Amino acid sequence: MSLILTDISLTYADGDDRVLALDDVTLDVPAGSVTAVVGPSGSGKSSLLAVAATLIAPDSGSVVIDGIDTSGLPRARLAELRRRTIGIVFQQSNLVPSLTALEQLQMMAWIDGRSTREAVPRGMALLDAVGMADHADRRPHALSGGQRQRVNIARALMNDPTVLLVDEPTSALDQERGEEIVDLITRLSRERHTATILVTHDRSLLAAADRVAEVHDGRLSTVPPPPLLTQSLRQ
Ligand code: ADP
Ligand code: MG
C-alpha cells in the first residue's frame, strides 16, 4: 500500500497563457512513512497535494494509489476512492461550526453511507488517539487552534485511509503546538500505516519526517535521508 506519483506535470490557465505549477514530479511514498514537502510560497506544494488527492487531474503523469492507477477512472469511482482511501487535512481546519468534535467524525461515516451508530465508538477511539477524548462534545469555537487541528486529523483518519495528505497544519500554531501536531501526524502514520505527505514551510519541523522533498518552481528534489533511516526502511 503506497502512493506513487510518476512524471507529474500540471499547468493552470492564466489568461491566454498557462502557468507551469508542477514540472515532471516523481515521488514514491511508502506506507507507514511521512514525506515532508517544503518549498517557498507559490512553488507548487498545494498543487502537488491536490494532484495526489485526485482533486486535480495532471496534464501528464500518473497517480497510483494502492496499486490502482487513478488516471482515466470515472468521476464517481474517483470520488469513492477519495472517500475510502484518502484522508486530507487542509491548512484551515474547516470544521463545521455547529457540530461537536465527535459529530465532525461521524459525518464522514454518514457521507460514505455507513452506519453512524457504528461510527461513535470508532470516532471516540480516534479522538482518544489524538488526545481529544475529553473534548468530544465541544464545538470548534470552544477549542484552541491546536485542538481543532487534532480533531481535523482524527476526522481525516475516520475512514481508515491508506493515504494521508496534510497541507501546512501548523501555520496557525506556535512552535511548540506545531511540533506536537507534526509528532502526532508522524506517530499516527506509522501506527496506521498511511502513506503520508506533509507540506510545511517550517524547516524546524522536518526532523520528525522519514524523508524530505523540496519543491522549487514546480520541480521536486528529494533530500536523502540519514544513513540509519535508510537502513531501517530497507528492512
Ligand atoms: P504553494 O502551495 O507552494 O504555495 P501552489 O501549488 O498553491 O503553491 O501554487 C503553485 C503555482 O500555481 C503558483 O504560481 C500559483 O499562483 C499557481 N496556481 C495555484 N492554483 C491555481 C489556480 N487554481 N489557477 C491558476 N494558477 C494557480
Ligand atoms: Mg499552499
Side-chain angles (χ1 to χ4, degrees):
M1 299 293 147
S2 63
L3 166 66
I4 303 171
L5 307 178
T6 310
D7 299 334
I8 301 281
S9 290
L10 173 72
T11 58
Y12 293 110
D14 178 23
D16 292 339
D17 262 354
R18 299 197 74 83
V19 196
L20 183 61
L22 295 173
D23 187 3
D24 206 18
V25 167
T26 292
L27 182 65
D28 180 349
V29 186
S33 74
V34 177
T35 297
V37 172
V38 284
S41 178
S43 58
K45 304 182 298 295
S46 294
S47 299
L48 179 66
L49 284 192
V51 168
T54 75
L55 291 167
I56 302 180
D59 299 22
S60 58
S62 69
V63 178
V64 176
I65 296 174
D66 295 348
I68 299 170
D69 187 345
T70 63
S71 28
L73 284 185
R75 263 163 189 276
R77 181 75 188 84
L78 271 184
E80 186 191 334
L81 182 91
R82 273 198 298 274
R83 271 199 319 272
R84 303 240 161 114
T85 66
I86 304 176
I88 306 177
V89 179
F90 289 112
Q91 190 168 346
Q92 319 80 346
S93 74
N94 57 47
L95 296 171
V96 182
S98 61
L99 299 183
T100 66
L102 180 59
E103 288 165 351
Q104 314 275 350
L105 273 63
Q106 281 179 268
M107 195 176 71
M108 298 307 284
W110 176 75
I111 289 171
D112 200 31
R114 300 198 212 176
S115 144
T116 47
R117 196 179 306 157
E118 175 258 357
V120 172
R122 190 169 166 65
M124 279 310 298
L126 273 167
L127 287 177
D128 191 40
V130 300
M132 289 293 293
D134 291 345
H135 296 63
D137 56 1
R138 289 220 195 157
R139 296 191 165 77
H141 73 86
L143 298 172
S144 71
Q147 290 172 334
R148 270 181 235 154
Q149 273 303 30
R150 286 170 188 274
V151 175
N152 217 11
I153 292 162
R155 181 177 62 177
L157 294 171
M158 189 60 188
N159 290 342
D160 221 1
T162 52
V163 170
L164 183 62
L165 304 170
V166 190
D167 200 354
E168 310 227 24
T170 65
S171 55
L173 307 178
D174 60 40
Q175 188 68 33
E176 198 183 334
R177 301 289 162 265
E179 280 169 23
E180 285 171 10
I181 291 294
V182 168
D183 287 346
L184 177 66
I185 290 166
T186 309
R187 175 169 63 78
L188 290 170
S189 300
R190 292 187 183 139
E191 281 173 12
R192 308 179 72 88
H193 301 287
T194 57
T196 300
I197 299 181
L198 169 66
V199 166
T200 177
H201 61 272
D202 185 347
R203 289 177 175 271
S204 70
L205 301 175
L206 301 182
D210 296 296
R211 289 185 307 175
V212 179
E214 290 196 52
V215 204
H216 280 279
D217 296 333
R219 293 195 69 90
L220 190 91
S221 50
T222 309
V223 178
L228 251 181
L229 196 58
T230 316
Q231 239 171 30
S232 68
L233 281 179
R234 279 199 193 119
Q235 281 166 6

